[in-house]
Amino acid sequence: MRGLFCAAASLVVIAASVPACAGGIYVVENGQGNNPVAVKKEASALAAVPVLPNGKQNQGFKYGMLYDLPGAATHVMRGHVDAKGSIAVHDGALPYILYVISGSGKLSLNDKGGGQIGEVAYKPDDVIVFQPNTLHGWTNGDTAFEFLGVELPAPQK
């Protein structure tokens, strides 16, 4: 659980440093003499995701990986959903922490058949933690929805 909180705190720090449009990605490493040095990494562009792997249609959804933490199976992701756009009902196999940068709308919570059983109204600065294999979908409001996500490694049993 402590690791989850540390990851959430890291996500908030990263989110605070990444503006709505693409900014720089800096990895602070130990350099010569164990002195910290910032290494600039190339940011990947967001790619349109019109259809999810399960075949369901999205509207105005773009997604991309900002950083892959070497050897840790942890990925920092970036997403955008156009105003009035949506992300179809899906699940993620891994734990995922999402930070809402901008936008508001509804996160649907869905049963195994895809039917809605609940919802969460999301807004800027919300942090949403997804446990593995939880079905959900997104319906965005009147402004673009921008988010950062951290995909974590599978929990150890």
Side-chain angles (χ1 to χ4, degrees), residues 29-84:
E29 301 173 347
N30 280 320
Q32 187 175 19
N34 274 346
N35 291 321
V37 60
V39 178
K40 186 170 183 172
K41 302 290 183 177
E42 289 297 316
S44 62
L46 297 181
V49 185
V51 180
L52 292 177
N54 63 12
K56 295 183 180 177
Q57 298 287 319
N58 298 314
Q59 294 179 9
F61 177 41
K62 296 177 183 164
Y63 197 60
M65 183 184 306
L66 292 177
Y67 187 70
D68 177 13
L69 189 62
T74 300
H75 308 104
V76 179
M77 309 299 290
R78 175 69 189 245
H80 167 94
V81 181
D82 292 342
K84 302 290 187 187

Side-chain angles (χ1 to χ4, degrees), residues 1 31 33 42 67 84 88 94 96 130 141 143 147:
M1 188 58 110
E42 289 297 316
Y67 187 70
K84 302 290 187 187
L94 298 172
Y96 193 89
F130 294 93
T143 60
F147 65 91

Side-chain angles (χ1 to χ4, degrees), residues 2 9 12 14 16 19 36 48 53 60 64 74 78 85 89 108 110 115 124 131 135 137 140-141 154 157:
R2 182 172 179 223
V12 171
I14 291 168
T74 300
R78 175 69 189 245
V89 173
S108 68
N110 302 84
Q131 296 299 329
L135 283 168
N140 195 27
K157 294 187 181 203

